[in-house]
Amino acid sequence: MEDLIGKANTLMEALPYIRRFSGKTFVIKYGGHAMADERLKASFALDVIMLKSLGINAVIVHGGGPQINQTLKRYGIESEFVRGMRVTDAETMSVVEMVLVGQVNKEVVGYLNHHGGRAVGLSGKDGTLLLSKKLLLEAKAEDGSRELVDIGYVGDVVKVNTDLIRTLESGKYLPVIAPVGVGPEGESYNINADLVAGRVAAALNAEKLILLTDIEGVKDKNGTLLGSIAVADMHRLIEEEAITGGMIPKVVCCADALNEGVKKAHIIDGRVEHAVLLEIFTDGGIGTEIVK
């Protein structure tokens, strides 16, 4: 009986959050270990399907770096990175698009549909969903000055076609977006999935941006997980080098989305089963929420 009462209490804890978020939109960046482990893939699919059944619109943006690496290696194509961004020539771009749109996107869609969802796969080319431009990186030159570096078909999002996403949402579908953008001449661009998720969340005026990662969340300089931080605290943590490496672009992406109208951003551990539900529907959560 105590176990049954405990389950009832869990449902009651979730009730105010279900009421608050019904009809809202969550944009979820899906990547890392959660995309590789069969148990976690099923857990993620069920989380997203439950959100939709509760009246919450989930929009998924997926990554695919490991899959791209494997395919490039198979074709004998070497990868070069500048500030964590893959230098993408025309040959590499054709492989990136093939893997993200033709392989990974269809796998995610298939998994969601297998578990009872109604997922539809999209790339940025579909309905000009992600109108993009070339991204020039600022890098340090040998003389110490700053210069802009062209790293090929790597893009930034100029505009998101929200009409296409809203149409799918109204039809009870789950949009699943591959981070490949389209330029003004129809050219393809390889775009960082976190960046795409942030831009899509801002364009939709989403209630939440949720990034699934392979770490617990944001930690302070003592290694303590921070349940909640403000954007100002985030900048301080970067200066203190508590936030370093690949976490920096993730928190910056969250800050940009918050500044453009997203209500809250979350960085959570995708290695935990039902991570999305635990973060959203429990008082304590499991990761880090970032607020403006």
Side-chain angles (χ1 to χ4, degrees), residues 216-226 237 240-243:
E216 296 174 79
V218 180
K219 298 181 179 180
D220 64 17
K221 59 184 179 181
N222 297 317
T224 302
L225 177 66
L226 300 171
L237 290 167
E240 294 175 352
E241 297 187 348
I243 297 176

Side-chain angles (χ1 to χ4, degrees), residues 7-21 50 54 56 277 280-283:
K7 291 179 181 179
N9 287 334
T10 299
L11 291 172
M12 293 308 297
E13 183 180 351
L15 181 58
Y17 299 106
I18 294 171
R19 286 175 173 166
R20 185 188 308 170
F21 299 137
M50 183 170 180
L54 293 172
I56 298 168
L277 297 185
I280 301 306
F281 294 136
T282 62
D283 294 335

Side-chain angles (χ1 to χ4, degrees), residues 242-259:
I243 297 176
T244 59
M247 182 57 76
I248 293 177
K250 292 185 184 299
V251 296
V252 169
C253 158
C254 290
D256 289 344
L258 291 168
N259 288 331

Side-chain angles (χ1 to χ4, degrees), residues 36-282:
D37 183 284
E38 290 298 321
R39 175 176 52 86
L40 294 175
K41 287 195 285 187
S43 167
F44 175 77
L46 292 171
D47 283 6
V48 171
I49 291 165
M50 183 170 180
L51 291 179
K52 193 68 176 178
S53 70
L54 293 172
I56 298 168
N57 295 311
V59 178
I60 300 161
V61 177
H62 65 78
Q67 294 91 331
I68 293 169
N69 291 338
Q70 291 170 8
T71 306
L72 287 173
K73 185 177 181 180
R74 191 161 63 244
Y75 286 134
I77 302 173
E78 295 286 336
S79 286
E80 179 186 351
F81 291 85
V82 176
R83 290 182 57 193
M85 299 289 239
R86 190 190 305 272
V87 177
T88 307
D89 59 13
E91 185 180 28
T92 302
M93 185 64 236
S94 66
V95 173
V96 168
E97 187 165 11
M98 175 184 70
V99 173
L100 289 178
V101 180
Q103 176 188 334
V104 179
N105 188 267
K106 301 313 171 192
E107 287 177 0
V108 176
V109 167
Y111 223 86
L112 287 164
N113 289 341
H114 173 72
H115 284 82
R118 299 180 70 199
V120 175
L122 302 166
S123 81
K125 285 186 167 181
D126 295 311
T128 320
L129 175 62
L130 303 174
L131 182 61
S132 307
K133 66 177 181 179
K134 182 185 287 287
L135 176 67
L136 296 175
L137 284 184
E138 187 179 87
K140 194 173 183 179
E142 292 182 2
D143 61 4
S145 64
R146 292 284 178 176
E147 62 179 359
L148 293 177
V149 180
D150 186 339
I151 55 173
Y153 293 94
V154 175
D156 192 3
V157 179
V158 175
K159 183 181 178 181
V160 178
N161 177 7
T162 57
D163 288 345
L164 177 55
I165 298 174
R166 295 295 191 197
T167 298
L168 290 171
E169 286 181 340
S170 65
K172 309 299 183 185
Y173 290 98
L174 291 163
V176 180
I177 302 170
V180 173
V182 60
E185 303 301 321
E187 68 274 29
S188 299
Y189 282 110
N190 177 21
I191 310 177
N192 177 274
D194 292 330
L195 188 154
V196 171
R199 294 282 198 274
V200 170
L204 292 171
N205 195 28
E207 182 73 18
K208 292 184 181 295
L209 167 64
I210 302 170
L211 306 183
L212 269 68
T213 67
D214 285 342
I215 60 174
E216 296 174 79
V218 180
K219 298 181 179 180
D220 64 17
K221 59 184 179 181
N222 297 317
T224 302
L225 177 66
L226 300 171
S228 180
I229 60 172
V231 171
D233 297 325
M234 180 198 77
H235 292 306
R236 175 179 54 79
L237 290 167
I238 292 175
E239 291 175 3
E240 294 175 352
E241 297 187 348
I243 297 176
T244 59
M247 182 57 76
I248 293 177
K250 292 185 184 299
V251 296
V252 169
C253 158
C254 290
D256 289 344
L258 291 168
N259 288 331
E260 294 178 29
V262 175
K263 305 301 184 296
K264 280 187 181 180
H266 301 256
I267 296 177
I268 64 175
D269 191 346
R271 299 169 301 179
V272 176
E273 284 190 75
H274 301 296
V276 174
L277 297 185
L278 290 171
E279 176 69 9
I280 301 306
F281 294 136
T282 62

